[in-house]
């Protein structure tokens, strides 16, 4: 009797697992995002992947590595998820992601997927997060003041607070 129960329980587990896999595949085929706990995305599909070096977007992104072209076009490359999230959405023209990359924190309507090979050629860092963006440069308005403090590579926020309190005093 116990063996019969364990066999029926195993059969039930297998049936449930196969139904889950079938439902999961239907969602994947529909282009849905399959989410894991804590907003991490496991799988994303329905993406067109750019594989050719002759693509206009790839050529433009490659040119943005040169300072001369960045100055002429008033655009620059942001590499990494944190930089993209911190940049105002209206400044980002297009987000370039490595094939298979998905994250719920970026604007999916602006994402264009590149093959692993093309994305690797665009990256300036060795260990990339798999996403970069082309953004518009903002120029500061003219600043007129009697006093200016320039801060560079502040490592401790307490040091910056002390500098500001001293300057105000």
């Amino acid at each position: 009797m116990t063996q019969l129960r364990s066999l029926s329980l195993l059969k039930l587990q297998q049936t449930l697992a196969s139904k889950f896999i079938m439902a999961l595949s239907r969602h994947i085929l529909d282009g849905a995002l399959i989410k894991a706990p804590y907003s991490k995305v496991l799988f994303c599909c329905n993406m067109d992947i750019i594989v050719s070096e002759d693509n206009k977007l790839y050529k433009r992104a490659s040119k943005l590595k040169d300072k001369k072209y960045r100055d002429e076009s008033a655009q620059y490359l942001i590499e990494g998820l944190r930089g993209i999230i911190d940049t105002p959405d209206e400044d980002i023209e297009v987000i370039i992601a490595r094939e298979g990359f998905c994250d719920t924190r970026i604007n999916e309507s602006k994402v264009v997927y590149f093959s692993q090979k093309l994305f690797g050629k665009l990256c300036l860092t060795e260990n990339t997060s798999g996403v970069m963006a082309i953004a518009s440069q903002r120029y500061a308005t003219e600043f007129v003041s009697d006093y200016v403090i320039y801060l560079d590579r502040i490592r401790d926020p307490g040091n910056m607070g002390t500098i500001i309190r001293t300057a105000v005093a």
Side-chain angles (χ1 to χ4, degrees):
M1 185 80 169
T2 308
Q3 187 178 14
L4 183 61
R5 282 187 186 163
S6 62
L7 284 177
S8 61
L9 182 61
L10 180 63
K11 181 76 172 166
L12 177 66
Q13 287 174 341
Q14 289 172 344
T15 305
L16 289 175
S18 66
K19 286 184 179 185
F20 174 74
I21 290 170
M22 287 176 13
L24 183 65
S25 64
R26 274 196 302 274
H27 283 289
I28 291 170
L29 290 174
D30 291 339
L33 296 178
I34 309 305
K35 294 183 181 178
Y38 311 111
S39 297
K40 291 183 180 177
V41 177
L42 290 178
F43 189 82
C44 181
C45 65
N46 275 0
M47 60 180 90
D48 294 326
I49 300 171
I50 295 172
V51 296
S52 173
E53 291 183 17
D54 295 330
N55 182 276
K56 289 180 183 179
L57 180 60
Y58 174 77
K59 287 180 179 182
R60 189 165 52 119
S62 294
K63 287 180 183 178
L64 286 173
K65 291 180 178 181
D66 298 327
K67 183 175 177 10
K68 179 182 173 184
Y69 187 75
R70 286 193 304 266
D71 292 341
E72 288 173 4
S73 65
Q75 293 180 323
Y76 64 100
L77 276 176
I78 303 169
E79 192 168 342
L81 187 59
R82 176 169 284 174
I84 292 171
I85 291 171
D86 291 344
T87 303
D89 199 40
E90 62 270 8
D91 289 348
I92 295 177
E93 181 185 328
V94 65
I95 298 172
I96 301 168
R98 180 178 55 220
E99 64 180 303
F101 177 85
C102 271
D103 197 294
T104 57
R105 296 172 288 181
I106 60 174
N107 185 349
E108 277 293 316
S109 66
K110 293 185 176 184
V111 177
V112 176
Y113 294 95
F114 279 24
S115 68
Q116 298 276 355
K117 181 181 173 186
L118 285 184
F119 191 83
K121 289 181 179 181
L122 279 180
C123 290
L124 300 172
T125 58
E126 284 184 28
N127 297 323
T128 180
S129 64
V131 66
M132 62 177 54
I134 296 177
S136 301
Q137 292 182 4
R138 284 191 179 188
Y139 295 102
T141 58
E142 188 173 327
F143 179 76
V144 179
S145 176
D146 293 336
Y147 304 101
V148 177
I149 298 175
Y150 291 99
L151 303 175
D152 184 28
R153 297 185 192 111
I154 299 292
R155 292 185 186 180
D156 182 13
N159 292 343
M160 186 170 75
T162 303
I163 292 169
I164 292 171
R165 285 191 299 277
T166 304
V168 170

